[in-house]
Amino acid sequence: MSEALVSFLVEQLGSIIFQQVEQNVRLVVNVKKEVATLTLNLETIQAVLADAERRQVKEANVRRWLNNLKEVSYEIDDVVDEWSTEILKKQIEKQGENAVVPKKKVCFSIPFHCLCNGQVTQIIFRRDIAVRIKELHEKLVLIHEQRKFYKFLENEIEFEQPERLKSFSIVNESETFGRDYERNKLVSQLVSENSEERKKPLVISIVGMGGIGKTTLAQLAYNDEKVKDCFHTRIWVCVSEPFVQIAVARAILEGLNVSVPNSNELEIFVRDISNSIKGKKFLLVLDDVWDSNHRKWEPFLTTLHCGASGSRILVTTRIAQVASAMGATSDHTIYIKELGEETCRSLFYHIAFFDGERKESKKFEDIGNEIVKRCKGLPLAAKTLGSLMRCKKTVQQWVDVLNSKIWELEVVENEVFQPLFLSYHDLEPQSKRCLLYCATFPKDLEIIKDQLIELWMSQSYLEVKGGNKEKTTVGQRCFENLVTRSFFQNIKEDSEGSIISCKMHDIVHDFVQYLTKDECFSMVVKDANERMELPGDEVRHLSLMFAPEGPFPVSSLNCKSLRTLTAFESKLTSIGVELISQSKSLRTLNLSENSIVEVPKEIGGLIHLRYLDLSQNRELKELPDSLCDLYNLQTLRLVECEQLVKFPDEEAMRKLTKLKHLYVKYSPHLKSKGIGRLTGLQKLDVFHLNGYRGEDKEGTLKLQDLKNLNQLEGSLWIAHLESVEDASEGVKACLSEKHLLHHLHLDFSCFNGCHKGRREEGRGQNDREILNGLQPHGDLESLTIGNCQLATSPCPDWILSLHKLTRLQLSDFGNCELLSGPFGRLPSLESLVVGVMEKVKKVGVELLGIEERELQSSSSSSSLILFPKLKSLGFVVMPKWEEWEGVPPQNNITIMPSLSRLAFLNCSKLGTLPDFLRKTPVQTLGVFNSRILGDKVGDKTSEEWAKISHVPDIQVKEF
């Protein structure tokens, strides 16, 4: 971690001198010299950090030296940040003065004594900075001299950067090697019936060291078809540490798909569990159990007795005592051992060479076999090293891995951490810091990729030399690098194949916690009235777990060094003013999913804060204007703050010049006029228009407030367009100038019937004019239009300008009777969904975009291809739709030549399909809750069956 931190600080220190010259400000005498010497010492130390990072694990003295360096480095970072913030603050104040007061009046309108006070304040601030720099320089000189005692090796060559790979390892059955015996044995124990009736469920345990494959084996059995058929219900619960009874009980109820009580009484939970499983044959998997206290488990084991005969509890654990405490006998305990060398070798090469390129692998075989021996049969080790070796293209690189001294380390759970140390130390410093930050999360947390990148940004982990690259791009690269090295698993992707979220394997989580044990601390809060102390001043990142209702329970006496404060699964009601006053170094404050009712004005004093998450605090009603004193704030999350009305003053919001990400989804009451001032915004999930339920519109957003937000990127949802009364406002949004937007959602709904008095016929014309004015740039990739009241064509005039549009969704067009538009002419369209068109009775050639003259010129020599790239087509909730008409047989028109998926949902009156479907390559046809069409498709003598008889996968269902 020190490597990347020092590298960043060297860059930052240089900026102090640059900022002095650029802003025409000066520190006190000799500070320039102090800064230059400070920078030189840091650069000298930086050269030996790689060796120090390796040696700290075994050598306590080196670890202490590194901790002292980190302490000074963090202090330097704070000083540099305060200096930069003060300059930024003065710039913004000056801009505000120039905007309000003409320059020629400034000298006469400001009293002389005020000007002097301002000068004195600046002098005091600069002297304070100078004194702190001098003190830090003295500390660093000592650290600089001490390095000589350790005889560190300097970096002779720069670490090679890992090659970026598109593919990466994902846990699946094809990557499971050598577990057939254990799997068959486990499945047999799960499904076999005992000759005598049991009064309690049989407990089966899987025991083995970390990374040996316990969870994988449990997953294989859990998804085995024999097991699925054997049980009425199956529940999977990841227990992990810390073991909290309420949390486990809640997870069991959620797995049973029953409502979870709003209570902290275990009695209520176990009673609900008992009622839900009574008489049912169930399988409950308790994965990764650490706590062997039988008294803690007894309420669950007793409650589960009411299940039907043949029920099973499957426990995975590293600790044999846990298995016996849970009631598993030796006959029903499976001890997993290491993989055989040949099996481990197969797994390694499967990952390293994508189970191919065997000829290419021959030159690496001898070295590879030696590396496999070092894995000691651990599947996680083989997989991690296999991922690592994908990046190694020369024999020498493989030899370097084999000869790495990291193998000689003797640490806690040595066998587990060895391969992870190797992979970790092969990372570039920036990726190391990003990985280690994940120690702040609890185990088994689903980590949202975009949020993770923003958290990294808040800690300044994504800074790059020169500062030209976008930090989100750097973060994306770091994330992909960690995925390819198997540090992240359980990958979830969207329909486009982009990663949405991931999880961290428990072994990897243990590993990063071990490396950050002094800096990251997780505190389980049992009593809201108990004041809990941190273990030391070295703690930088604090996670509160399961804090009950009440104020912050943490003493502020030793929180001065905190850079992250997060509350997980807690119910905190207030942000302590005392805590804020003492936690001045905070970069990240995450209080989402709590019960915060008020944000104190003192929050503006957290000048280093870059990430603030107040999402899902449903009683929070307003934010103080002092929030805008957070000059460095980059990310503000206010998702699902249902009662939040007051945003900071519009004029005050101009100070948030560094705010890049603002999330306000499902916070519809928010009066946020000042958003239009945030010209640096890159992400805005929802743009709420004109208030809510006819509320006072003062301070609410208009479309013209989007005009200057040209840095927006990714996705944008414009909500409540129905409330726009002046149709000319659409043009004022200037969407065509927002070239970084790729996905656009135009929503004309207005919650709970606001503007009910408007005439529907008038609204339709108004909606069309607004829609036509909201023309985006031509490179847009996806478009959704909803709740428009157009009577004819549901598409805007500019639709054909979207030459890169791949996805289009049209829904809730309540007045639309004719589904027309040039959709078939869109050259890149791959997915089209049409939904909730309640007045449409017939779909004809209008959907294809065929003109009359083209229908009449069948002898034309020019061919016409409509929907050339369309792969997926869906119709949803069209209750009056009776007929889908095709086109007359013609030789020069080809329709949907790439169509693969076709679906109908709740189209109850539809009875005919077009003839052109005969020539489409449809692979999957779904007819759901559409009885008439379903009957015809199911009748192999019907005309409709003949049109789709070539489809290999046809599903017809009534719900």
Side-chain angles (χ1 to χ4, degrees), residues 92 95 623-631 633 636 638 645-664 670-681 684 687 699 701 709:
I92 294 172
Q95 291 170 359
L623 298 173
D625 288 347
S626 62
L627 187 78
C628 296
D629 292 333
L630 302 176
Y631 290 90
L633 194 64
L636 178 59
L638 302 168
V645 176
K646 184 181 180 298
F647 220 48
D649 177 77
E650 178 184 356
E651 180 62 24
M653 285 188 69
R654 67 182 177 84
K655 295 188 287 186
L656 296 178
T657 59
K658 291 192 175 183
L659 192 65
K660 301 295 183 185
H661 318 117
L662 177 60
Y663 301 95
V664 293
L670 194 60
K671 294 183 179 180
S672 48
K673 184 72 174 176
I675 289 177
R677 294 282 197 127
L678 304 174
T679 56
L681 270 186
L684 175 62
F687 190 78
L701 285 168
L709 304 186

Side-chain angles (χ1 to χ4, degrees), residues 470 472 681-684 711-715 740-742:
E470 279 291 338
T472 50
L681 270 186
Q682 295 175 346
K683 291 185 180 179
L684 175 62
Q711 300 303 311
L712 291 177
E713 60 185 38
S715 304
L740 299 176
L741 278 181
H742 300 301

Side-chain angles (χ1 to χ4, degrees), residues 498-751:
S498 298
I499 296 177
I500 301 173
S501 67
C502 64
K503 289 187 178 182
M504 178 172 277
H505 193 286
D506 283 356
I507 306 304
V508 180
H509 191 273
D510 290 338
F511 173 72
V512 296
Q513 281 196 322
Y514 172 79
L515 292 179
T516 59
K517 57 187 175 184
D518 294 326
E519 291 199 4
C520 298
F521 184 66
S522 180
M523 178 185 294
V524 178
V525 182
K526 300 178 180 179
D527 185 351
N529 297 317
E530 182 182 356
R531 304 290 285 179
M532 302 182 70
E533 294 280 345
L534 299 184
D537 291 339
E538 294 178 351
V539 175
R540 306 288 174 180
H541 310 287
L542 173 63
S543 300
L544 298 181
M545 304 288 294
F546 309 108
E549 187 172 345
F552 269 99
V554 184
S555 172
S556 60
L557 297 179
N558 56 352
C559 292
K560 62 183 179 65
S561 299
L562 283 183
R563 291 183 162 232
T564 300
L565 179 56
T566 306
F568 291 102
E569 299 190 48
S570 299
K571 296 182 179 180
L572 298 171
T573 57
S574 64
I575 305 173
V577 173
E578 182 187 9
L579 182 70
I580 290 176
S581 67
Q582 297 296 325
S583 304
K584 294 296 187 181
S585 292
L586 275 180
R587 265 69 173 169
T588 301
L589 180 58
N590 183 352
L591 300 175
S592 61
E593 300 185 61
N594 276 275
S595 303
I596 305 295
V597 296
E598 182 182 8
V599 176
K601 63 181 181 181
E602 287 80 4
I603 197 169
L606 300 177
I607 64 170
H608 300 289
L609 198 65
R610 284 152 165 80
Y611 183 103
L612 177 60
D613 192 348
L614 297 170
S615 298
Q616 298 183 53
N617 283 284
R618 293 182 168 84
E619 299 302 317
L620 182 62
K621 294 183 179 179
E622 62 180 53
L623 298 173
D625 288 347
S626 62
L627 187 78
C628 296
D629 292 333
L630 302 176
Y631 290 90
N632 291 302
L633 194 64
Q634 298 169 345
T635 300
L636 178 59
R637 302 186 65 87
L638 302 168
V639 178
E640 291 187 51
C641 293
E642 297 166 355
Q643 301 301 318
L644 185 60
V645 176
K646 184 181 180 298
F647 220 48
D649 177 77
E650 178 184 356
E651 180 62 24
M653 285 188 69
R654 67 182 177 84
K655 295 188 287 186
L656 296 178
T657 59
K658 291 192 175 183
L659 192 65
K660 301 295 183 185
H661 318 117
L662 177 60
Y663 301 95
V664 293
K665 194 173 184 179
Y666 306 126
S667 300
H669 293 281
L670 194 60
K671 294 183 179 180
S672 48
K673 184 72 174 176
I675 289 177
R677 294 282 197 127
L678 304 174
T679 56
L681 270 186
Q682 295 175 346
K683 291 185 180 179
L684 175 62
D685 56 349
V686 181
F687 190 78
H688 291 287
L689 285 166
N690 293 327
Y692 182 77
R693 297 181 185 167
E695 295 170 332
D696 179 11
K697 294 184 183 179
E698 183 179 355
T700 59
L701 285 168
K702 306 292 185 184
L703 279 172
Q704 63 186 16
D705 293 315
L706 269 172
K707 179 180 179 180
N708 297 319
L709 304 186
N710 290 335
Q711 300 303 311
L712 291 177
E713 60 185 38
S715 304
L716 176 63
W717 177 10
I718 304 179
H720 323 318
L721 279 164
E722 190 272 347
S723 64
V724 176
E725 297 178 352
D726 183 357
S728 65
E729 280 196 36
V731 178
K732 298 177 183 178
C734 299
L735 292 186
S736 61
E737 298 178 12
K738 295 163 181 48
H739 296 284
L740 299 176
L741 278 181
H742 300 301
H743 315 287
L744 182 62
H745 186 156
L746 302 176
D747 187 356
F748 284 78
S749 65
C750 198
F751 289 114

Side-chain angles (χ1 to χ4, degrees), residues 82-98:
E82 288 170 31
W83 172 252
S84 301
T85 302
E86 186 66 20
I87 289 178
L88 175 62
K89 180 180 178 181
K90 293 304 172 186
Q91 284 179 321
I92 294 172
E93 288 176 353
K94 185 176 181 180
Q95 291 170 359
E97 290 170 1
N98 292 340

Side-chain angles (χ1 to χ4, degrees), residues 13 52 155 189 248 259 269 321 393 417 425 470 484 506 559 577 611 621 718 726 737 899 903 908 912 932:
L13 281 168
N155 298 330
Q189 291 188 357
V248 172
S259 59
F269 280 82
Q321 290 92 327
K393 302 300 182 183
F417 288 166
H425 281 293
E470 279 291 338
T484 61
D506 283 356
C559 292
V577 173
Y611 183 103
K621 294 183 179 179
I718 304 179
D726 183 357
E737 298 178 12
L899 189 65
S908 56
T912 63
I932 296 175

